[in-house]
Amino acid sequence: MKLHFVGVLWLLAIGPYLVPLSAQTAGCLDAADESHHQLFYENEDARVLLLELPRIASTQPHCHAHPYLYIVTGESKSSTTPEGKATFSHDWNGPEARFVYRPVKQVIRNESMIAFREVIVETLHSVHYDPLEVSYDTDLFPGDLGSAKPTWTVSFTRGDLTAFKTQLAPGDNATFGSPNHVLIAVTDVKLQRTSAETAPQELELNAQEVHMLSGGSQFKLTNAGSHSATFILIEF
């Protein structure tokens, strides 16, 4: 009886810091079924969705079933209205990253005159919530070196997801691990992907375009263009 009581106290203590594998979405439109979202990729580890809103357009009220990372891909302005709460707006200064531990029913509106784009990666695994995290509304990417250095990489991790923001000078390269990756072009990029197990692959994307890189082995991305290439990789 005493052990049972201690166990209950332990669960009560840690309960607020554990995010369940699936959020409560009964009676709520799944994001993948919302008309402005596209299900881009899905496996046993993650779902990748793309959100694109024309100018002054809104999503339907929708939900995400799992904790998720989202990347706003370029400068824009949007507002979010969580169910039962006030609307808040945000001016995005370029590609920025946020992580949502506890998804809620919400409406997203594009408040700008240009298209609003967002890449969303839902993790299908549980995520430990850190109550010491300073703010939900701060870009998760550490400060980068911009033009002060021609080649650099910054990164962060939430649960099983790791995001890298990388700039490569012409001819420079960076090596990444074997899991699956979502590639988001921040600038126009011309890259060559090489690995020990596959033939070289040429990747040419315009800024804000998205490409899926299937996993299997460690690989190298080389800037095959004549200008600096900046991109984001989300690993899962």
Side-chain angles (χ1 to χ4, degrees), residues 169-171 190-191 222-227:
K190 186 177 181 180
L191 303 170
T222 301
N223 181 3
S226 57
H227 302 283

Side-chain angles (χ1 to χ4, degrees), residues 120-182:
I120 303 152
V121 182
E122 295 182 356
T123 176
L124 304 189
H125 302 282
S126 59
V127 181
H128 177 75
Y129 168 61
D130 182 0
L132 301 179
E133 192 169 321
V134 177
S135 173
Y136 283 113
D137 198 28
T138 302
D139 186 11
L140 294 175
F141 283 113
D144 59 57
L145 298 177
S147 59
K149 189 176 179 182
T151 296
W152 45 259
T153 294
V154 295
S155 65
F156 66 87
T157 297
R158 291 294 183 276
D160 289 342
L161 305 178
T162 298
F164 305 88
K165 182 162 67 170
T166 298
Q167 178 176 284
L168 295 176
D172 282 359
N173 62 71
T175 301
F176 300 95
S178 60
N180 294 307
H181 291 79
V182 183

Side-chain angles (χ1 to χ4, degrees), residues 88-149:
F88 61 92
S89 61
H90 198 294
D91 290 300
W92 304 98
N93 297 316
E96 296 187 39
R98 301 289 189 276
F99 192 87
V100 177
Y101 290 94
R102 297 183 175 92
V104 297
K105 189 175 184 179
Q106 62 183 358
V107 172
I108 300 173
R109 177 178 170 85
N110 180 5
E111 302 289 357
S112 67
M113 299 300 289
I114 59 175
F116 173 80
R117 296 182 177 91
E118 189 175 285
V119 178
I120 303 152
V121 182
E122 295 182 356
T123 176
L124 304 189
H125 302 282
S126 59
V127 181
H128 177 75
Y129 168 61
D130 182 0
L132 301 179
E133 192 169 321
V134 177
S135 173
Y136 283 113
D137 198 28
T138 302
D139 186 11
L140 294 175
F141 283 113
D144 59 57
L145 298 177
S147 59
K149 189 176 179 182

